[in-house]
Amino acid sequence: MRFRTVSLRLRFLSALIAAFVSIASAQVKVDEKSDQLAALKIELENIRSQRDKVVTKRWEDKQVYAESREQFNQKFDELKDALESKRLEAERLNEEVQILQREVEESKGQLEDEKARFAGLNSLSEQKLSVLSENLNRGIPSHVPERQDKLNQVKQVLIQRKDDPASALQEVISLFKQETQLSREIVLEKGGFLKADRSPGEGHLLRVGLVAYFYKDEKGGQSGMMLQKTGVTQESYEWREDLAPEIAKALAEAWDQLLNKADKVAMIPIDVLQNK
């Protein structure tokens, strides 16, 4: 009986020890699992941290991309607008160039016309000088040397300024004005002269433009009138005292009115067609 009791106690003790061993072994496994779990948690936190960094970097990259895309679109729109503006400007300039080209073509035609007219100024000046030369030889001989010198000077100007005919023409026009003024003058002066018989005289000279010339000799009282010669001679004019009675009478009355009367208005006998 006692042996049986001891045997039971030994079994219980063995079972108890086995239970303790089993518990201790289980505790070791639990600790190991806890360490593994802690390691896994740390690893998980690291993975989460890396994931958050990746996500953050991704959002940052997306934001940078979006900003870059926005800047690109803005630059693109600006370039597009600039190109459109340049295109419109080019079209406007092209239209202006075409207008200018048409104007240039028109100006070329006008320039050719002006060149032709400009070149014709030399010919015009020569023609005018020829007329002046003829008038100098045809009109009554008044200030002939001075007028001939001026005419020769203008002829030289015409030669020297062949490439500037407009300037030369101005000189011709100026000479024409002087001749016109001379042709419109009425001059009464006192001085010496050669009478019709070539003898010297002293008295008054009356010139009416370039169409009539008279003298009144104070000493002898003779009156003379310059008339164109009928024959072909070197001198085309001469003093004449053998005037027609009506002309001599009218001339005497005119001299009396001019020299002796307060009213210096007189009727002068002039044949305005004698120089034609």
Side-chain angles (χ1 to χ4, degrees), residues 61-109:
D61 290 344
K62 288 181 68 177
Q63 185 176 1
V64 171
Y65 172 79
E67 292 176 354
S68 299
R69 184 68 181 180
E70 184 178 357
Q71 292 177 357
F72 171 80
N73 291 336
Q74 183 178 356
K75 291 291 184 182
F76 179 81
D77 292 338
E78 290 176 355
L79 289 174
K80 184 179 178 182
D81 293 340
L83 287 174
E84 180 65 15
S85 177
K86 293 295 183 183
R87 184 186 67 81
L88 295 175
E89 181 70 12
E91 290 181 355
R92 184 184 65 80
L93 290 175
N94 184 51
E95 291 178 357
E96 291 183 358
V97 167
Q98 291 179 357
I99 293 173
L100 289 174
Q101 286 177 341
R102 289 194 295 268
E103 291 179 352
V104 167
E105 293 300 324
E106 293 175 357
S107 298
K108 284 182 179 179

Coordinates of all heavy atoms in Angstrom, one line a residue, residues 61-109:
D61 N 7.7 65.3 -56.3 CA 8.0 65.2 -57.8 C 6.8 65.6 -58.6 O 6.9 66.3 -59.7 CB 8.4 63.8 -58.1 CG 9.8 63.4 -57.5 OD1 10.5 64.4 -57.1 OD2 10.1 62.2 -57.5
K62 N 5.6 65.1 -58.2 CA 4.4 65.5 -58.9 C 4.1 67.0 -58.9 O 3.8 67.6 -59.9 CB 3.1 64.8 -58.3 CG 3.1 63.3 -58.6 CD 1.9 62.6 -58.1 CE 0.6 63.1 -58.8 NZ -0.6 62.4 -58.3
Q63 N 4.4 67.6 -57.7 CA 4.3 69.1 -57.6 C 5.3 69.8 -58.5 O 4.9 70.7 -59.2 CB 4.4 69.5 -56.2 CG 4.1 71.0 -55.9 CD 4.2 71.4 -54.5 OE1 4.5 70.5 -53.6 NE2 3.9 72.6 -54.2
V64 N 6.5 69.3 -58.5 CA 7.6 69.9 -59.3 C 7.2 69.7 -60.8 O 7.3 70.7 -61.6 CB 8.9 69.3 -59.0 CG1 10.0 69.7 -60.1 CG2 9.4 69.7 -57.7
Y65 N 6.7 68.5 -61.2 CA 6.3 68.3 -62.5 C 5.1 69.2 -62.9 O 5.1 69.7 -64.1 CB 5.9 66.8 -62.7 CG 5.2 66.5 -64.0 CD1 6.0 66.3 -65.1 CD2 3.9 66.4 -64.2 CE1 5.5 66.0 -66.4 CE2 3.3 66.1 -65.4 CZ 4.1 65.9 -66.5 OH 3.6 65.7 -67.7
A66 N 4.1 69.3 -62.0 CA 3.0 70.2 -62.3 C 3.4 71.6 -62.5 O 3.0 72.3 -63.4 CB 1.9 70.1 -61.2
E67 N 4.3 72.1 -61.6 CA 4.8 73.5 -61.8 C 5.6 73.6 -63.1 O 5.5 74.6 -63.8 CB 5.7 73.8 -60.6 CG 5.0 74.0 -59.2 CD 5.9 74.2 -58.1 OE1 7.1 74.2 -58.3 OE2 5.4 74.5 -57.0
S68 N 6.5 72.6 -63.4 CA 7.2 72.7 -64.6 C 6.3 72.6 -65.8 O 6.5 73.4 -66.8 CB 8.2 71.5 -64.7 OG 9.1 71.5 -63.6
R69 N 5.3 71.8 -65.7 CA 4.3 71.7 -66.8 C 3.6 73.1 -67.0 O 3.4 73.5 -68.1 CB 3.3 70.6 -66.5 CG 2.3 70.4 -67.6 CD 3.0 69.8 -68.8 NE 2.0 69.6 -69.9 CZ 2.3 69.2 -71.1 NH1 3.6 68.9 -71.4 NH2 1.4 69.0 -72.0
E70 N 3.2 73.7 -65.8 CA 2.6 75.0 -65.9 C 3.5 76.0 -66.5 O 3.0 76.8 -67.4 CB 2.1 75.4 -64.5 CG 1.3 76.7 -64.5 CD 0.9 77.1 -63.1 OE1 1.1 76.3 -62.2 OE2 0.3 78.1 -62.9
Q71 N 4.7 76.0 -66.1 CA 5.7 77.0 -66.6 C 5.9 76.7 -68.1 O 6.0 77.7 -68.9 CB 7.0 76.9 -65.9 CG 7.0 77.4 -64.5 CD 8.3 77.2 -63.8 OE1 9.3 76.6 -64.3 NE2 8.4 77.6 -62.5
F72 N 6.0 75.4 -68.5 CA 6.1 75.1 -69.9 C 4.9 75.6 -70.7 O 5.1 76.2 -71.8 CB 6.3 73.6 -70.1 CG 6.3 73.1 -71.5 CD1 7.4 73.2 -72.3 CD2 5.1 72.6 -72.0 CE1 7.3 72.8 -73.6 CE2 5.0 72.2 -73.3 CZ 6.2 72.3 -74.1
N73 N 3.7 75.3 -70.2 CA 2.5 75.8 -70.9 C 2.5 77.3 -71.0 O 2.1 77.8 -72.1 CB 1.3 75.3 -70.2 CG 1.1 73.8 -70.3 OD1 1.6 73.1 -71.2 ND2 0.4 73.2 -69.3
Q74 N 2.9 78.0 -70.0 CA 3.0 79.4 -70.0 C 3.9 79.9 -71.0 O 3.6 80.8 -71.8 CB 3.3 80.0 -68.6 CG 3.3 81.5 -68.5 CD 3.6 82.0 -67.1 OE1 3.8 81.2 -66.2 NE2 3.7 83.3 -67.0
K75 N 5.2 79.3 -71.0 CA 6.2 79.7 -72.0 C 5.7 79.4 -73.4 O 5.9 80.1 -74.4 CB 7.5 79.0 -71.7 CG 8.2 79.4 -70.5 CD 8.7 80.8 -70.7 CE 9.5 81.3 -69.5 NZ 10.1 82.7 -69.6
F76 N 5.0 78.2 -73.6 CA 4.5 77.8 -74.9 C 3.5 78.8 -75.4 O 3.5 79.2 -76.5 CB 3.9 76.4 -74.7 CG 3.3 75.9 -76.0 CD1 4.1 75.4 -77.0 CD2 1.9 76.0 -76.3 CE1 3.6 74.9 -78.2 CE2 1.4 75.5 -77.5 CZ 2.2 75.0 -78.4
D77 N 2.5 79.2 -74.5 CA 1.5 80.2 -74.9 C 2.2 81.5 -75.2 O 1.8 82.2 -76.2 CB 0.5 80.4 -73.7 CG -0.3 79.1 -73.5 OD1 -0.5 78.3 -74.4 OD2 -0.9 79.0 -72.4
E78 N 3.2 81.9 -74.4 CA 3.9 83.2 -74.7 C 4.6 83.1 -76.1 O 4.5 84.0 -76.9 CB 4.9 83.5 -73.6 CG 4.3 83.9 -72.3 CD 5.3 84.1 -71.2 OE1 6.5 83.8 -71.5 OE2 5.0 84.4 -70.1
L79 N 5.2 82.0 -76.4 CA 5.9 81.8 -77.6 C 4.9 81.7 -78.8 O 5.1 82.3 -79.9 CB 6.8 80.5 -77.7 CG 8.0 80.6 -76.8 CD1 8.7 79.2 -76.8 CD2 9.0 81.6 -77.4
K80 N 3.8 81.1 -78.5 CA 2.7 81.0 -79.5 C 2.2 82.4 -79.8 O 2.0 82.7 -81.0 CB 1.6 80.1 -79.0 CG 0.5 79.9 -80.0 CD -0.6 78.9 -79.4 CE -1.7 78.7 -80.4 NZ -2.8 77.9 -79.8
D81 N 1.9 83.2 -78.8 CA 1.4 84.5 -79.0 C 2.5 85.4 -79.7 O 2.1 86.2 -80.6 CB 1.1 85.2 -77.6 CG -0.1 84.5 -77.0 OD1 -0.9 83.8 -77.7 OD2 -0.3 84.7 -75.7
A82 N 3.7 85.2 -79.3 CA 4.8 86.0 -80.0 C 4.9 85.6 -81.4 O 5.1 86.5 -82.3 CB 6.1 85.7 -79.3
L83 N 4.8 84.3 -81.7 CA 4.9 83.8 -83.1 C 3.7 84.4 -83.9 O 3.8 84.8 -85.1 CB 4.9 82.3 -83.2 CG 6.2 81.6 -82.8 CD1 6.0 80.1 -82.7 CD2 7.3 82.0 -83.7
E84 N 2.5 84.4 -83.3 CA 1.3 84.9 -84.0 C 1.5 86.4 -84.2 O 1.2 86.9 -85.3 CB 0.1 84.7 -83.1 CG -1.2 85.2 -83.7 CD -1.6 84.5 -85.0 OE1 -1.0 83.4 -85.3 OE2 -2.5 85.0 -85.7
S85 N 2.1 87.1 -83.2 CA 2.3 88.5 -83.4 C 3.3 88.8 -84.5 O 3.2 89.7 -85.3 CB 2.8 89.1 -82.1 OG 3.2 90.5 -82.2
K86 N 4.4 87.9 -84.5 CA 5.4 88.1 -85.6 C 4.8 87.8 -86.9 O 5.1 88.4 -87.9 CB 6.6 87.1 -85.3 CG 7.4 87.5 -84.1 CD 8.1 88.8 -84.3 CE 9.0 89.1 -83.1 NZ 9.6 90.5 -83.2
R87 N 3.9 86.8 -87.0 CA 3.2 86.4 -88.3 C 2.4 87.6 -88.8 O 2.5 88.0 -89.9 CB 2.4 85.2 -88.1 CG 1.7 84.7 -89.4 CD 0.8 83.6 -89.1 NE -0.4 84.0 -88.4 CZ -1.4 84.6 -88.9 NH1 -1.4 84.9 -90.2 NH2 -2.4 85.0 -88.2
L88 N 1.6 88.2 -87.8 CA 0.8 89.4 -88.2 C 1.7 90.5 -88.6 O 1.4 91.2 -89.6 CB -0.1 89.8 -87.1 CG -1.2 88.7 -86.7 CD1 -1.9 89.2 -85.4 CD2 -2.1 88.5 -87.8
E89 N 2.8 90.7 -87.9 CA 3.7 91.8 -88.2 C 4.4 91.5 -89.6 O 4.5 92.5 -90.4 CB 4.8 91.9 -87.1 CG 5.8 93.0 -87.3 CD 5.3 94.4 -87.2 OE1 4.1 94.5 -86.6 OE2 6.0 95.3 -87.5
A90 N 4.7 90.3 -89.8 CA 5.3 89.9 -91.1 C 4.3 90.2 -92.3 O 4.7 90.7 -93.3 CB 5.8 88.5 -91.1
E91 N 3.0 89.8 -92.0 CA 2.0 90.1 -93.1 C 1.9 91.6 -93.3 O 1.8 92.1 -94.4 CB 0.7 89.5 -92.6 CG 0.7 88.0 -92.6 CD -0.7 87.5 -92.2 OE1 -1.6 88.3 -91.8 OE2 -0.9 86.2 -92.3
R92 N 1.9 92.4 -92.2 CA 1.8 93.8 -92.3 C 3.0 94.4 -93.1 O 2.8 95.2 -94.0 CB 1.7 94.5 -91.0 CG 1.4 96.0 -91.0 CD 1.5 96.6 -89.6 NE 2.8 96.4 -89.0 CZ 3.8 97.3 -89.2 NH1 3.7 98.2 -90.1 NH2 4.9 97.1 -88.6
L93 N 4.2 93.9 -92.7 CA 5.4 94.4 -93.4 C 5.4 94.0 -94.8 O 5.8 94.8 -95.7 CB 6.6 93.8 -92.6 CG 6.9 94.4 -91.3 CD1 8.1 93.7 -90.6 CD2 7.2 95.9 -91.3
N94 N 4.9 92.8 -95.1 CA 4.8 92.3 -96.5 C 3.9 93.2 -97.3 O 4.2 93.6 -98.5 CB 4.3 90.9 -96.5 CG 4.4 90.3 -97.9 OD1 5.4 90.4 -98.7 ND2 3.3 89.8 -98.4
E95 N 2.8 93.6 -96.7 CA 1.9 94.5 -97.4 C 2.5 95.9 -97.6 O 2.4 96.5 -98.7 CB 0.6 94.7 -96.6 CG -0.3 93.4 -96.5 CD -1.5 93.6 -95.7 OE1 -1.6 94.7 -95.1 OE2 -2.3 92.7 -95.6
E96 N 3.2 96.4 -96.6 CA 3.9 97.7 -96.7 C 5.0 97.6 -97.8 O 5.2 98.5 -98.6 CB 4.5 98.1 -95.4 CG 3.5 98.5 -94.3 CD 4.1 98.9 -93.0 OE1 5.4 98.9 -93.0 OE2 3.4 99.3 -92.1
V97 N 5.7 96.4 -97.8 CA 6.8 96.3 -98.8 C 6.2 96.3 -100.2 O 6.7 96.9 -101.1 CB 7.6 95.0 -98.6 CG1 8.4 94.6 -99.8 CG2 8.4 95.1 -97.3
Q98 N 5.1 95.6 -100.4 CA 4.4 95.6 -101.7 C 4.0 97.0 -102.1 O 4.1 97.4 -103.2 CB 3.2 94.7 -101.7 CG 3.6 93.2 -101.5 CD 2.4 92.3 -101.5 OE1 1.2 92.8 -101.5 NE2 2.6 91.0 -101.5
I99 N 3.4 97.8 -101.1 CA 3.0 99.1 -101.4 C 4.2 100.0 -101.7 O 4.2 100.8 -102.7 CB 2.3 99.7 -100.1 CG1 0.9 99.0 -99.9 CG2 2.1 101.2 -100.3 CD1 0.3 99.4 -98.6
L100 N 5.3 99.8 -101.0 CA 6.5 100.5 -101.3 C 7.1 100.2 -102.6 O 7.6 101.0 -103.4 CB 7.6 100.3 -100.2 CG 7.3 100.9 -98.8 CD1 8.3 100.5 -97.8 CD2 7.3 102.4 -98.9
Q101 N 7.0 98.9 -103.0 CA 7.5 98.5 -104.3 C 6.7 99.1 -105.4 O 7.3 99.6 -106.4 CB 7.4 96.9 -104.4 CG 8.5 96.2 -103.6 CD 8.3 94.7 -103.7 OE1 7.3 94.2 -104.0 NE2 9.4 94.0 -103.4
R102 N 5.4 99.2 -105.2 CA 4.6 99.9 -106.2 C 4.9 101.3 -106.3 O 5.0 101.9 -107.4 CB 3.1 99.7 -105.9 CG 2.6 98.3 -106.1 CD 1.0 98.2 -106.1 NE 0.5 98.6 -104.8 CZ 0.2 97.7 -103.9 NH1 0.5 96.4 -104.1 NH2 -0.3 98.1 -102.7
E103 N 5.1 101.9 -105.1 CA 5.5 103.4 -105.1 C 6.9 103.6 -105.7 O 7.1 104.6 -106.4 CB 5.5 103.9 -103.6 CG 4.1 104.0 -103.0 CD 4.2 104.5 -101.6 OE1 5.4 104.6 -101.0 OE2 3.2 104.7 -101.0
V104 N 7.8 102.6 -105.5 CA 9.1 102.7 -106.1 C 9.0 102.6 -107.6 O 9.6 103.4 -108.4 CB 10.0 101.6 -105.6 CG1 11.3 101.5 -106.4 CG2 10.4 101.9 -104.1
E105 N 8.2 101.7 -108.1 CA 8.0 101.6 -109.5 C 7.4 102.9 -110.1 O 7.8 103.4 -111.2 CB 7.1 100.4 -109.9 CG 7.7 99.0 -109.5 CD 9.0 98.8 -110.3 OE1 9.0 99.2 -111.5 OE2 9.9 98.2 -109.7
E106 N 6.4 103.4 -109.4 CA 5.8 104.7 -109.9 C 6.8 105.8 -109.8 O 6.9 106.6 -110.7 CB 4.6 105.0 -109.0 CG 3.4 104.1 -109.1 CD 2.3 104.4 -108.2 OE1 2.5 105.3 -107.4 OE2 1.2 103.7 -108.2
S107 N 7.6 105.8 -108.7 CA 8.6 106.8 -108.6 C 9.7 106.7 -109.7 O 10.2 107.7 -110.2 CB 9.3 106.8 -107.2 OG 8.4 107.0 -106.2
K108 N 10.0 105.5 -110.1 CA 11.0 105.3 -111.1 C 10.5 105.9 -112.4 O 11.2 106.6 -113.1 CB 11.2 103.8 -111.4 CG 12.1 103.1 -110.3 CD 12.4 101.7 -110.6 CE 13.3 101.1 -109.6 NZ 13.5 99.6 -109.9
G109 N 9.2 105.7 -112.7 CA 8.6 106.3 -113.9 C 8.6 107.8 -113.8 O 9.0 108.5 -114.8

